[in-house]
Amino acid sequence: MKHLDIDATLDSARILVCCGSGGVGKTTTAAALALRAAERGRRTVVLTIDPARRLAQSMGLSELDNTPLRVVGVDDSQGGSLDAMMLDMKRTFDEIVLTHAEPSKAQAILANPFYQALSSSFAGTQEYMAMEKLGQLQASGDYDLVVVDTPPTRSALDFLDAPQRLTTFLDGRMIRLLLAPAKAGGKAYLKVVSAGFNVFTGVLTKIIGAGVLQDVSQFVAALETMFGGFRERAQATYDLLKAPGTAFVVVAAPERDALREAAYFVERLAAERMPLAGLVVNRVHRSAVTSLTPETSLAAAQSLEQSGGSPLAAAVLRLHADRVQLAGREQRLEQRFVSAHPDVPVVEVAALPGDVHDLAGLRAVGADLAGGSQALSA
Amino acid sequence: MADFPGVRLHVVNGKGGTAKTTVAAALALALASGGKRVLLTEVEGRQGIAQLFDSPPLPYEERKVAVAPGGGDVHALAIDPEQALLDYLHLFYKLSPNGIPARSLRRMGAIDFATTVAPGMRDVLLTGKVKEAVVRRNKDGSPAYDAVVLDAPPTGRIVRFLNISHEVGGLAKVGPIKTQSDNVMAVLRSPQTAVHLVTLLEEMPVQETIDGVADLTAAQLPVGGVVVNAVREPLLPPADLVAAEQGRLDTTALATGLKEAGLDAPEPLVQALGQEALEHAQRVALEEHGRDTLARLERPSYELPLLPDAVDLGGLYRLAASLREQGMA
Ligand SMILES: Nc1ncnc2c1ncn2[C@@H]1O[C@H](COP(=O)(O)OP(=O)(O)OP(=O)(O)O)[C@@H](O)[C@H]1O
Ligand SMILES: Nc1ncnc2c1ncn2[C@@H]1O[C@H](COP(=O)(O)OP(=O)(O)OP(=O)(O)O)[C@@H](O)[C@H]1O
Ligand SMILES: [Mg+2]
Ligand SMILES: [Mg+2]
């Protein structure tokens, strides 16, 4: 197994993207990497998405705030610094509209009920806006390193696919049909559109009512003025993900589903020629007591229980057996990934007994990320 | 007597990955036990139910997937927005799903479009289908299903998903879709419905449960029970747990005990085992804290054990039996 040298990555990368399936520790890893980079002397910003409440508080993030704030309590003796922000996706979307649409149109878009639905609940908006913000932070020139967390989705691939989905939707056939009346005007419109479209509007009017359809058309027409901007930006940010200096960190829990998702993601990055730093297997259980096998422990526990011996020792032995068995299961799952992807550098982070909710916890995770020499040895 | 006697629609919801699908399936089995007919539905196009029951992907069709203990059937349906729209058109406008209008709608991606521009519309179609199954009657007037279980989207989206009249109200003030959403809403808000929340004893899922209950309550949606999943029994006796957590585990007694069992007990080994006990105790304390936080919700609560491996069919029946013993069904 190749070992992931996280410090080398932290010292050289300009953008780090933490991806992985839901709940595996993306936000924690992103924050821990950013803190470590800052304390190693880099001017760093971390873009977090829905962090756990206490973690957010410990970084001074009390509410969504679309601009980065300085994190206090960071060791700046090496000349680095850490800023953090929580993504506000609606506001990021609004900002794009305000930048790209003519002022009169912008207000119409912002007020349209369909825009409001799209900007707050279209599957993929959050991913698109995370990328958008990433581009902005990088372009600001204020930072040596931008670390990005990704939204809680089931599949890590959503992060790569969502922006595409949004632009494809905005470029789509239906949108063009809805725009046709505005463009062709009057009767000519009847020639442009297919019979199918009339059926469509007929049915939609039936289902949702005529007023709604009009709202949709207006919304689409207003948005059209900014399509170009949208597409270009999406493309520019996507390109940034392939640029030298960008690296992906894939996070997984030592569980079947999470490792399978990680494998898909790693393969996809390779296909897209996007640079992978490596895999972080987070929340692994290890045991420092290698001399005592589960079998021996359980047998000893049983003999104590039968002989009426120390209940404490019996319980501790059962606990130990449990932990070693769990560690073994996790290692087998991890090994399966490694066999299939021998070139992917891997590092393990131990499961801490408590949640990670302060800078000290992040430092501990960071040290594990950098030190992970015990990988697969427990 | 089960805890939700008048409830015919059980919505199962929670943070992503907490086991919504698993619990929904176990609950369906539990509700079907003893000769009942239950429909288990999913709406996210992920075929989670089929995977769980080891069956081929479900078509848009109600299919029997399991037999419950003591007789009773679980049927399953994967609801897909496009099919639900065609159903709706058929039901209300007599538009044949294979006719030209329906086909051209599909060909043009119109359904995709409509449901993308206005997710509220998609949700009306999905919940509308669920509601239809809840109120459906046999020829003799008896309900087609004794209960319907819905494997719902995660907590972050649940209120938006269920509070469709609000979502749709923003888009359509009048019109057929508005009427339909009002009808669906009436069922969702009635005592026939209970929205259950699945959680783990960890900080974030517990917080999402608390927030979820508040959001559901604010939207006047009936909150059901809290299902705490993947619970591990503490392995240390209570007194030792407390001592371990406070870092005063009696390592001398531990060393003596190990020797009693015929093991070598060098100091580093004893210390390392003591450390494992400490970490276990910390984890248990954290879980206890989560449990206390959940208890303040004052909702009926059920605990499911952590099974050694991912849940297979056998595991599902075990979880179902446990829910039944605890009175959820
Ligand atoms: N190594 C670790 N040891 C113990 N707890 C951890 C560890 N890593 C993460 N956690 C805890 O696990 C929970 C989930 O972590 P986190 O929020 O980073 O996951 P995520 O992948 O960002 O989740 P989501 O997909 O919901 O955004 C948090 O409560 C965090 O404190
Ligand atoms: N009590 C349990 N013991 C062991 N494993 C469990 C238990 N409950 C669920 N699992 C496993 O956890 C994983 C996630 O469960 P499930 O798919 O039901 O979650 P979900 O909440 O529906 O996820 P999603 O948010 O992705 O829809 C599955 O692999 C399942 O087998
Ligand atoms: Mg996160
Ligand atoms: Mg699920």
Side-chain angles (χ1 to χ4, degrees):
Chain A
M1 184 186 74
K2 276 172 73 172
H3 180 249
L4 172 59
D5 182 354
I6 208 74
D7 282 342
T9 305
L10 289 180
D11 292 347
S12 61
R14 302 189 56 212
I15 294 177
L16 275 181
V17 187
C18 294
C19 295
S21 49
V24 292
K26 295 178 292 296
T27 304
T28 307
T29 305
L33 289 172
L35 176 61
R36 190 168 176 90
E39 297 193 330
R40 289 174 66 84
R42 302 199 81 198
R43 290 176 308 154
T44 310
V45 62
V46 58
L47 167 57
T48 65
I49 296 165
D50 293 341
R53 205 161 289 181
R54 281 196 297 168
L55 178 65
Q57 280 163 359
S58 76
M59 297 203 295
L61 301 170
S62 47
E63 56 192 275
L64 288 178
D65 188 332
N66 235 5
T67 49
L69 291 176
R70 185 57 48 95
V71 179
V72 292
V74 176
D75 172 8
D76 56 8
S77 59
Q78 302 301 310
S81 60
L82 178 60
D83 286 3
M85 61 167 285
M86 258 192 276
L87 179 73
D88 181 336
M89 83 171 162
K90 170 114 175 49
R91 204 146 115 198
T92 307
F93 210 148
D94 290 355
E95 284 165 12
I96 303 181
V97 172
L98 289 168
T99 329
H100 285 272
E102 304 154 23
S104 61
K105 291 252 166 72
Q107 289 314 321
I109 296 176
L110 296 183
N112 188 293
F114 284 92
Y115 169 74
Q116 289 166 5
L118 184 69
S119 62
S120 53
S121 53
F122 177 69
T125 305
Q126 212 174 16
E127 285 83 356
Y128 182 91
M129 294 306 141
M131 281 210 193
E132 169 70 26
K133 205 69 202 175
L134 156 66
Q136 288 176 14
L137 290 170
Q138 213 264 346
S140 75
D142 295 341
Y143 303 104
D144 304 326
L145 173 65
V146 182
V147 182
V148 245
D149 176 20
T150 50
T153 49
R154 282 161 178 137
S155 163
L157 292 175
D158 286 351
F159 181 68
L160 295 178
D161 291 334
Q164 199 65 35
R165 216 178 296 145
L166 187 62
T167 38
T168 309
F169 164 67
L170 292 173
D171 276 342
R173 179 159 175 200
M174 285 310 306
I175 294 252
R176 276 183 284 120
L177 282 172
L178 283 168
L179 281 169
K183 278 198 180 148
K187 275 188 183 161
Y189 150 59
L190 290 176
K191 290 184 202 144
V192 203
V193 299
S194 62
F197 184 62
N198 289 329
V199 174
F200 167 66
T201 50
V203 169
L204 264 195
T205 308
K206 261 191 193 161
I207 313 170
I208 60 183
V212 181
L213 201 60
Q214 210 172 348
D215 273 353
V216 175
S217 297
Q218 267 171 12
F219 167 57
V220 164
L223 259 192
E224 211 238 347
T225 60
M226 49 178 290
F227 279 176
F230 246 136
R231 219 172 295 130
E232 267 165 44
R233 283 177 97 90
Q235 192 56 47
T237 314
Y238 205 72
D239 291 345
L240 199 58
L241 296 178
K242 293 185 179 182
T246 297
F248 282 83
V249 174
V250 180
V251 186
E255 288 161 12
R256 193 191 54 187
D257 293 0
L259 284 164
R260 190 171 42 208
E261 282 295 332
Y264 290 154
F265 194 76
V266 161
E267 287 155 20
R268 171 70 185 278
L269 286 179
E272 299 263 336
R273 298 175 190 278
M274 287 184 170
L276 170 70
L279 173 74
V280 172
V281 185
N282 186 32
R283 300 186 89 167
V284 301
H285 295 83
R286 303 166 178 150
S287 172
V289 186
T290 42
S291 59
L292 210 51
T293 66
E295 295 74 25
T296 318
S297 311
L298 287 177
Q302 208 170 18
S303 85
L304 281 172
E305 283 154 4
Q306 279 163 1
S307 66
S310 160
L312 171 63
V316 170
L317 284 165
R318 286 198 178 277
L319 193 67
H320 172 68
D322 213 51
R323 182 164 168 153
V324 176
Q325 276 164 346
L326 177 61
R329 273 201 301 276
E330 292 178 352
Q331 272 170 39
R332 281 191 294 280
L333 290 169
E334 185 181 326
Q335 193 54 56
R336 220 185 287 168
F337 178 95
V338 170
S339 313
H341 302 90
D343 296 332
V344 175
V346 179
V347 68
E348 292 182 341
V349 173
L352 300 175
D355 295 314
V356 182
H357 57 255
D358 55 14
L359 294 187
L362 289 178
R363 259 182 218 113
V365 170
D368 235 13
L369 280 164
S373 51
Q374 307 97 312
L376 286 177
S377 70
Chain B
M1 184 70 191
D3 297 344
F4 300 97
V7 172
R8 305 213 23 256
L9 172 59
H10 296 263
V11 181
V12 178
N13 150 250
K15 180 170 162 48
T18 50
K20 293 175 294 301
T21 306
T22 308
V23 171
L27 180 59
L29 273 176
L31 289 165
S33 309
K36 297 287 199 319
R37 206 176 133 87
V38 174
L39 180 68
L40 172 62
T41 58
E42 69 181 332
V43 292
E44 295 190 290
R46 296 172 64 219
Q47 292 290 342
I49 298 175
Q51 276 175 32
L52 205 50
F53 286 98
D54 277 336
S55 77
L58 295 168
Y60 184 72
E61 190 181 285
E62 291 158 38
R63 278 231 160 147
K64 183 159 140 185
V65 288
V67 177
D73 298 330
V74 175
H75 298 248
L77 173 66
I79 304 177
D80 146 280
E82 182 173 308
Q83 287 294 335
L85 175 61
L86 295 177
D87 252 22
Y88 172 87
L89 294 174
H90 183 58
L91 208 63
F92 291 91
Y93 300 103
K94 309 282 172 263
L95 204 64
S96 152
N98 297 315
I100 293 172
R103 279 214 313 266
S104 68
L105 277 182
R106 220 174 326 178
R107 189 168 40 81
M108 296 181 44
I111 297 166
D112 229 24
F113 176 82
T115 57
T116 306
V117 158
M121 235 182 277
R122 177 193 56 217
D123 295 345
V124 174
L125 294 169
L126 297 172
T127 46
K129 181 68 194 173
V130 174
K131 177 223 141 194
E132 185 273 322
V134 173
V135 301
R136 194 189 307 157
R137 303 258 151 191
N138 296 322
K139 290 219 172 66
D140 64 2
S142 62
Y145 289 103
D146 294 297
V148 176
V149 178
L150 168 62
D151 174 14
T155 355
R157 283 189 45 220
I158 188 66
V159 169
R160 191 167 260 143
F161 179 72
L162 296 177
N163 201 8
I164 41 171
S165 67
H166 180 264
E167 289 294 304
V168 169
L171 306 171
K173 303 263 180 294
V174 290
I177 198 95
K178 174 77 173 97
T179 313
Q180 165 77 346
S181 88
D182 289 346
N183 291 340
V184 174
M185 211 61 222
V187 171
L188 292 178
R189 287 207 171 124
S190 76
Q192 281 184 76
T193 299
V195 184
H196 309 293
L197 292 124
V198 185
T199 186
L200 306 173
L201 290 176
E202 290 185 14
E203 182 187 3
M204 290 179 81
V206 167
Q207 188 59 50
E208 275 203 23
T209 306
I210 306 287
D211 295 348
V213 169
D215 293 349
L216 289 166
T217 310
Q220 298 161 46
L221 289 159
V223 179
V226 174
V227 180
V228 181
N229 186 37
V231 173
R232 282 166 296 188
E233 288 301 314
L235 289 167
L236 287 179
D240 293 326
L241 264 183
V242 175
E245 205 213 334
Q246 295 170 349
R248 334 177 256 99
L249 193 77
D250 188 346
T251 42
T252 322
L254 176 57
T256 316
L258 292 174
K259 285 182 201 135
E260 232 180 297
L263 298 171
D264 278 343
E267 184 59 18
L269 178 89
V270 176
Q271 287 308 327
L273 288 177
Q275 180 65 27
E276 289 183 0
L278 167 67
E279 288 178 11
H280 175 72
Q282 284 172 333
R283 182 48 65 187
V284 171
L286 210 74
E287 293 182 354
E288 211 41 59
H289 178 71
R291 222 179 239 120
D292 290 346
T293 311
L294 291 171
R296 269 181 259 131
L297 289 172
E298 299 185 336
R299 303 302 318 165
S301 132
Y302 313 91
E303 297 207 346
L304 293 176
L306 175 70
L307 302 178
D309 287 300
V311 178
D312 58 7
L313 210 50
L316 208 54
Y317 278 88
R318 260 185 72 188
L319 298 181
S322 172
L323 288 178
R324 230 177 134 67
E325 278 157 26
Q326 296 176 69
M328 188 172 187

